[in-house]
Structure formats: C-alpha cells, structure tokens
Amino acid sequence: MSEPLLRLESVGRVFEADSDTPLHALADINLAIHEGEFVAIVGPSGGGKTTLLSLLGLLDSPTSGEYFVGGIATSSLSETERTRLRATMFGFVFQAFHLLDRRPISDSAELALFYQGVPATERAERASSALSSLGLGGREKGLASKLSGGQRQRVAISRAVASGNPVILADEPTGNLDSETGAAVLAEFQNIHRSGGTVVVVTHSDEVAATADRIVRISDGQIVSDNGARRSADTAPKPAHSGLRRVRSSDMLREAVRSVMSRGGQSLGLVLAVAVAVALMIISLGLGASASAQVSETFDARANREVAVTWDQPSARAVADAMEDAAGLAGVEAVAGLVDHGEVDVATPAGAFKVTLRGAVGDIPGATSSTMTWANNHDTVANGQVIVGRALARQLDLAPLALTPVISVGGQNYVVVGIVETSDRFPLLSGELIMGEEQALEQSPQAGSQLAIVTSSGAASQVGSHVALAIDPRHPELYNVSVPVDPQSLRQEVEGGVQIALLAFTVLAGLVAILTLANAITSSVMARSGELGLRRAVGARGRDLGILVSLEAALVGLCGGLVGLFIGVIALLVFTIAQRWLPVFDLALAPAAVLAGLCLATLSSFLGAARAARVSPLTALRG
C-alpha cells in the first residue's frame, strides 16, 4: 500500500478560551488522503471542519499528534519550511474568495506564482491559461471588485489551479453562491479531480458532498464516519516543486508599486503627510538661510555702522568743529553733532511746558536713523526755526506744519519746520526740542555733547580707533568713543540662535511626521490583515510581507519628498518676498528633501512592517 499524500495520526487541536476551560476543536483525528482523491469533509457548524482544513493546509498546527505531508513529519519543520511546503503543495479556495479587489484580476490569479518566484512572463501565461479554462479569458485586466460572486470564486479557483500544486483545499466554496453558480464551481472541482488533482472540500451541504468520491463526516471535533479511500499510487508522492525560487527584487518592487497605486486615496493621504513634513523642513531650513542673510544685511546696514563720541569737559572742542574733523575720516558716511542743553521753558496756546532742548548740527536724519516730516521747502533747521519730536508735538497740541505753527522758547518765537516721527538710534528725540547749536547756546549752556556717526560697512572699528585723535590730537582722552560689538561675532551669535531655533522646529516636525505616519501605516496594515493573511497562506514568508510594507512606504516617501520640495520652495518664496527678504535656497536641499521623505516614511514603516510580518495565515480564512 502506498504512502498517503496527507496523513494525520491521533491529531488534536485545543484552543485556549477566555474561560478557564480550554476548547477542544479536534480530538484524536486519524485521517489519510491519497493522491487523486476527491474528499468532502462534512458536518454541522462548529464541528471542527474548518479547523481540520487549516491543519491540512499547514495554516495551523496540531497541539497533539502528528501530521505528515508526502511522508514528511510537519511538527519538526520551522515556520519558513512550513511556508515553503505550503507554497509548493496546496492551492487554497476560500469561502470569502480573498481577491485583490482594487487590482486587475490577473494579479489575484498570479499571487501564488509570485511567491513561488515564477518569472513575470510565465506567471502571466499560467494565470491567463487558468482563467481561460474557467471561462474568464480576456478579462485579465478587469478589476476583481467588478466581478459577480460566481466569477470571483472562479478567480479564486484559477489562483489555486495556476499554482500547479497537487492539492486543492476549499472551504465552503459554494456557501456564498446561488445554486446555478455553485453547481458550476463544483463542476470545476470535478474537472480538477479528473485531471489527477487531489481535492479536499469542507462543506455543510450534502449536495456538495455528493459530488465527491469520499465523504468524511466530523462532529464535535471527531471523525464519526468515513466511506473509505481510493488507493492509486505505488510510491509516496512528493510536493510538485522541490523548492521555491526566491522572489526577484524587481518583482517585489513592481508589486509594491501596484499595491500603492491600487489604494489611491490612502496612498495620497500618506504622500501628503510626508509632503507636509518635508515642506516644513524645507521652509525651516530655507528660512534659516534667508534669515541669516537678512541678519547680515541688517548688521551691515545698521548696527555695525554706528559710532558715538561723547564729552562734557568745557575745554573740549566745539561740537561743530568736532563734527568737521570726524567727517574727514575715511569710511564716515554721515555725522551729526547733538548737544544737551537741559530743560527750557516752552509756551504755546495750549500752555507752558518744561522741555529738553537739543542743539544740533550736521546730517540729523541720516546720523540719528530718524524719519522726519518737513514743512514745505524745508529740509534743514535755520535761525528762528525748530524741530520737535512727534510725542512733544502732541503734548503741545501743535498745529499742522502746513499752517506754520509757532512756539515760544525762553520768550523768543520760533517756527516749527520739522517733526521727528521716529528715531531708531535716539528714541528720546520723540519728546525733545531741536534747534541749531548757536541758537541753543543763547537759550541754555551745554550740559554734554556727542557726535552720532554712521560709517560704511565694516569701517566702524577703524573710525572708532581714530576719531578721538582726529578731533583733538592733544587730548584724545577727553572723548568717550563707543564702537559697536564686533559685528562678526555678534552676527554669528544671532545667526546661530536663529539656526538652532529653526533646526529644533525641523526636528520636531520630523518627529511628529514619523509618529503620524507610523500610526497611519500600522492602521493600514491592520485594515489589510485579510490580504496579508492571504499572501501568507499562498506562500509569502513573514519577511516578504515586511519588505513589501517597507517598499510601499519608501515609494510613498519618495513621492512625498518631491511634493514636499515643491510646496516648501513655493511657500519659502512667498514668505520671503512678502517680507522683502532675499530668498536663499541651498540647491543641496533638493536631493536632501527627497531623501528626507524616503527616510521619514521608511522609519515610520518599521512598526507596520513588523506587524505585517507577524500576520497569521489563518487570517485569510476568516470573514
């Protein structure tokens, strides 16, 4: 007598239930199935039929006894060896069909061949032949989701047939079909049987069982009847394939592309999530470079160009003379002399006030970084004229300049010809009175003098080191010179602070993106448990599924990186132009953005890939 193709010896299967009492799904099962048999396993719902089929297909393992496939004891096999044996021995037809609904019909028919490592051209030929034999020729490119129930079941059968495996295992193959379609499906199983294939069908229908050569009845986890077996082979049969060819990397990549494209809405959402994160990074880094350039420009234009000279000794030079001496130094662009004359009495129709008086000579607006409003045909202050600060003008209830307002200073009338609107360098000017130094001396003695100097870019230190000697070579010690902090070190400090802040924001954006994507990818894997379980059932190893999820994430990351680069550059241009900054974009950020998208998505996929690798093939039998 020949060795059975499939043999179970005293097999039991116990499930740990929620309660303390374990569930004995199968007990002391002894069953031998020979090559070429058509066996129907029947019995009531909950009797153990599906559990038995799962054990036969190596989708589950017995908790007691031994199961032999082609004479091989399966209890000693590793998970990888079980997967290899399952992929080369069994073709599965599930009650719920388990097709790749959003993809062409041919992809579902080729799935088992894909994990056998069959080349793409051969896969297409074998799948097309199987589909044609089942009446679906010419429909290979149609979507599986558009098929009727009977057509979907025929695609599932074609997947099993195309695999070339010697055993077909079918779980309630007509349970979801009408009687006419169910009869057609059973006819296909009979054709497979007549061609020499071994068919095992689990069913609760006596009509389905009647088409089989052998009926095994199971109830309460035990075989209660078996009408015998047909012996036909003289030697122990072996699996159809001695081993699996490795799935090509190019095929795995193409499969990832098809998988991503088949889930358009979900993939688009993930791409946008990556794009937003990459765009934020581009904006942050671009703003860092642009802000650094702006800081440099601001330092060059203002802070590092301002030199001040102060003195209060009566023996020192007059402010007008000191101003002329300073103006002759190389690198000086604007200079003005300001003399503090203390408080004077000012009278207007609004009342009498005590106001600080400044005597001034030279380029007042340019040297003090002030914005001035002048009366018509005026841009300097002459004898009999004064300038007031904007805050003082409001306090004096001053009439508009066009009306030639007049105020009394120390009993003498003066025409107001200008208003200091703002002064970045001397903000107190907003509340003070300014007139020519000669007239100011007539009002009050000087209390202290100073020069406000603006230099060309980079000349502040040089001017500061020479200005006291230029004013008074004999007594330079009488003059206090204030030079701005070394612009290079201060600029680097400010720029460093900006860069650190934006870098922290970039890192935060990346972390948020990784967490968001990890959650989305893991949720996607959970939603695809049926598909992933199917892939495991037809021969995918756990690592194959992990690689597939990681490749899908990498593709999403690449697309997201490109989209994020575009969004980030546009947003950076809009912001910098709106702020009147010079946009600065390092071209190295372009490939870095794509690489960042790839890394973000790949890192985010680790949890999902690990979860996919642990999917149980039994998942394919649920639902």
Side-chain angles (χ1 to χ4, degrees):
M1 183 179 297
S2 64
E3 173 73 24
L5 182 60
L6 310 175
R7 177 163 57 92
L8 296 95
E9 291 185 354
S10 303
V11 165
R13 182 65 173 96
V14 180
F15 294 98
E16 297 297 331
D18 294 336
S19 63
D20 294 335
T21 304
L23 175 63
H24 292 268
L26 296 175
D28 196 29
I29 297 293
N30 290 283
L31 178 65
I33 298 174
H34 287 75
E35 185 177 19
E37 286 194 287
F38 188 165
V39 180
I41 300 175
V42 301
S45 298
K49 304 187 302 296
T50 298
T51 301
L52 178 57
L53 193 72
S54 298
L55 293 178
L56 289 172
L58 293 175
L59 300 173
D60 195 8
S61 301
T63 49
S64 61
E66 184 61 85
Y67 175 38
F68 297 89
V69 177
I72 301 172
T74 61
S75 62
S76 60
L77 299 179
S78 66
E79 182 58 34
T80 298
E81 292 170 331
R82 289 170 61 85
T83 299
R84 182 181 295 111
L85 185 57
R86 184 168 63 244
T88 57
M89 179 62 75
F90 302 107
F92 295 94
V93 181
F94 304 114
Q95 181 180 3
F97 316 133
H98 290 288
L99 306 182
L100 304 177
D101 283 338
R102 300 175 183 176
R103 295 174 58 175
I105 294 168
S106 58
D107 287 357
S108 293
E110 293 178 18
L111 192 61
L113 296 172
F114 177 83
Y115 288 108
Q116 289 176 3
V118 176
T121 302
E122 183 181 346
R123 290 202 309 267
E125 292 175 354
R126 289 171 61 175
S128 178
S129 175
L131 288 168
S132 296
S133 69
L134 289 160
L136 294 173
R139 304 191 62 173
E140 292 86 353
K141 300 306 178 183
L143 291 180
S145 60
K146 303 296 184 181
L147 300 177
S148 66
Q151 291 170 328
R152 290 167 66 80
Q153 192 64 289
R154 291 188 184 197
V155 174
I157 295 172
S158 72
R159 179 173 58 212
V161 171
S163 70
N165 292 338
V167 181
I168 303 296
L169 301 178
D171 185 14
E172 299 284 5
T174 63
N176 294 325
L177 307 178
D178 57 58
S179 58
E180 181 178 353
T181 304
V185 167
L186 289 177
E188 299 299 344
F189 286 135
Q190 290 174 329
N191 289 335
I192 294 171
H193 170 52
R194 283 193 292 269
S195 299
T198 303
V199 180
V200 180
V201 177
V202 162
T203 181
H204 66 278
S205 169
D206 291 337
E207 293 180 5
V208 173
T211 63
D213 294 337
R214 176 183 176 190
I215 300 175
V216 176
R217 188 171 300 275
I218 186 171
S219 180
D220 295 328
Q222 294 182 316
I223 294 177
V224 295
S225 67
D226 182 353
N227 66 356
R230 177 171 65 87
R231 311 290 195 268
S232 59
D234 296 329
T235 60
K238 300 297 181 185
H241 315 289
S242 59
L244 293 178
R245 286 170 282 188
R246 179 173 301 191
V247 179
R248 293 172 173 80
S249 298
S250 57
D251 284 350
M252 187 68 81
L253 180 59
R254 280 193 291 268
E255 178 67 11
V257 172
R258 294 190 184 105
S259 182
V260 168
M261 294 181 65
S262 71
R263 302 190 309 279
Q266 184 182 75
S267 298
L268 179 60
L270 293 175
V271 166
L272 290 178
V274 174
V276 169
V278 171
L280 288 174
M281 293 180 180
I282 291 294
I283 293 170
S284 297
L285 297 174
L287 282 180
S290 297
S292 295
Q294 185 67 15
V295 167
S296 297
E297 182 180 347
T298 301
F299 268 88
D300 291 342
R302 296 184 182 179
N304 63 340
R305 300 172 59 194
E306 297 173 352
V307 176
V309 182
T310 61
W311 67 96
D312 54 13
Q313 283 79 1
S315 61
R317 297 284 304 277
V319 69
D321 296 334
M323 184 191 71
E324 291 182 5
D325 294 333
L329 290 173
V332 173
E333 293 188 350
V335 60
L338 297 174
V339 181
D340 182 6
H341 287 273
E343 290 187 339
V344 295
D345 294 321
V346 175
T348 69
F353 304 89
K354 289 286 188 181
V355 177
T356 299
L357 174 62
R358 292 264 190 179
V361 291
D363 184 1
I364 299 172
T368 62
S369 301
S370 299
T371 301
M372 307 282 292
T373 298
W374 295 95
N376 290 337
N377 302 319
H378 289 81
D379 58 4
T380 59
V381 57
N383 290 337
Q385 298 175 346
V386 294
I387 300 170
V388 301
R390 171 55 67 185
L392 179 59
R394 286 194 293 265
Q395 184 181 12
L396 299 177
D397 195 18
L398 198 67
L401 295 180
L403 299 179
T404 315
V406 176
I407 63 174
S408 175
V409 182
Q412 299 182 35
N413 289 335
Y414 292 84
V415 177
V416 179
V417 294
I419 294 177
V420 180
E421 300 291 350
T422 61
S423 179
D424 293 341
R425 188 171 182 183
F426 295 92
L428 292 179
L429 291 180
S430 179
E432 296 179 346
L433 178 70
I434 303 172
M435 64 175 58
E437 172 58 11
E438 291 183 2
Q439 290 189 298
L441 282 171
E442 296 175 1
Q443 295 290 334
S444 175
Q446 64 182 35
S449 303
Q450 66 175 307
L451 294 183
I453 302 172
V454 175
T455 72
S456 58
S457 179
S461 297
Q462 179 180 350
V463 170
S465 64
H466 292 87
V467 66
L469 286 171
I471 294 172
D472 193 344
R474 297 178 60 185
H475 300 288
E477 71 279 359
L478 298 179
Y479 302 87
N480 298 314
V481 181
S482 175
V483 180
V485 177
D486 176 18
Q488 189 66 28
S489 60
L490 182 57
R491 178 187 301 171
Q492 291 175 352
E493 181 179 345
V494 174
E495 289 177 357
V498 171
Q499 293 287 1
I500 290 174
L502 291 175
L503 180 61
F505 178 78
T506 301
V507 172
L508 179 61
L511 290 176
V512 171
I514 288 175
L515 292 176
T516 301
L517 286 170
N519 181 66
I521 292 173
T522 303
S523 297
S524 171
V525 168
M526 294 173 64
R528 296 167 59 192
S529 59
E531 173 207 334
L532 298 174
L534 169 66
R535 291 177 183 273
R536 290 283 282 125
V538 300
R541 297 168 297 175
R543 61 177 293 186
D544 293 331
L545 300 187
I547 292 172
L548 177 64
V549 170
S550 295
L551 283 175
E552 291 173 359
L555 291 170
V556 166
L558 286 173
C559 294
L562 290 171
V563 175
L565 174 62
F566 176 77
I567 295 174
V569 170
I570 296 299
L572 180 62
L573 287 174
V574 170
F575 181 85
T576 52
I577 291 173
Q579 297 296 318
R580 298 183 179 179
W581 291 5
L582 175 67
V584 178
F585 183 79
D586 187 350
L587 292 179
L589 286 179
V594 179
L595 182 61
L598 174 63
C599 292
L600 282 176
T602 302
L603 288 173
S604 302
S605 71
F606 285 168
L607 184 60
R611 193 179 189 97
R614 294 195 302 269
V615 168
S616 167
L618 273 176
T619 306
L621 294 176
R622 297 182 183 140

